[in-house]
């Protein structure tokens, strides 16, 4: 993966490598459309995977904070 330094808590929850990459790139400021284009996936799919990963983070940390 081109993003080896994922933010620390991504390793604490169960997610796919793709979800980790999406959330990391998105949190670094990359747009959903740019991520979708580079991964050759639809923006809707990227948004869905990001949502699933964030839900896993919320579940892990027991928070309802807006991310």
């Amino acid at each position: 993966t081109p993003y080896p330094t994922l933010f620390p808590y991504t390793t604490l929850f169960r997610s796919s490598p793709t979800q980790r990459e999406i959330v990391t790139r998105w949190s670094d400021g990359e747009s959903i459309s740019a991520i979708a284009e580079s991964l050759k996936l639809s923006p809707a799919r990227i948004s869905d995977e990001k949502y699933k990963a964030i839900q896993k983070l919320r579940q892990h940390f027991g928070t309802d904070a807006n991310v």
Side-chain angles (χ1 to χ4, degrees), residues 18 22 35-43 45-46 49:
T18 301
I22 289 167
I35 297 168
E37 186 176 325
S38 70
L39 295 180
K40 307 219 183 309
L41 297 170
S42 72
R45 174 72 186 276
I46 297 299
E49 293 300 325

Side-chain angles (χ1 to χ4, degrees), residues 19-42:
Q19 286 176 341
R20 287 192 300 270
E21 181 174 356
I22 289 167
V23 171
T24 299
R25 291 170 67 172
W26 173 75
S27 69
D28 287 342
E30 194 168 342
S31 71
I32 295 296
S33 59
I35 297 168
E37 186 176 325
S38 70
L39 295 180
K40 307 219 183 309
L41 297 170
S42 72

Side-chain angles (χ1 to χ4, degrees), residues 37-60:
E37 186 176 325
S38 70
L39 295 180
K40 307 219 183 309
L41 297 170
S42 72
R45 174 72 186 276
I46 297 299
S47 290
D48 184 57
E49 293 300 325
K50 178 180 68 90
Y51 174 82
K52 290 175 185 175
I54 289 172
Q55 289 303 107
K56 289 176 185 178
L57 277 172
R58 287 180 175 158
Q59 192 172 44
H60 177 80

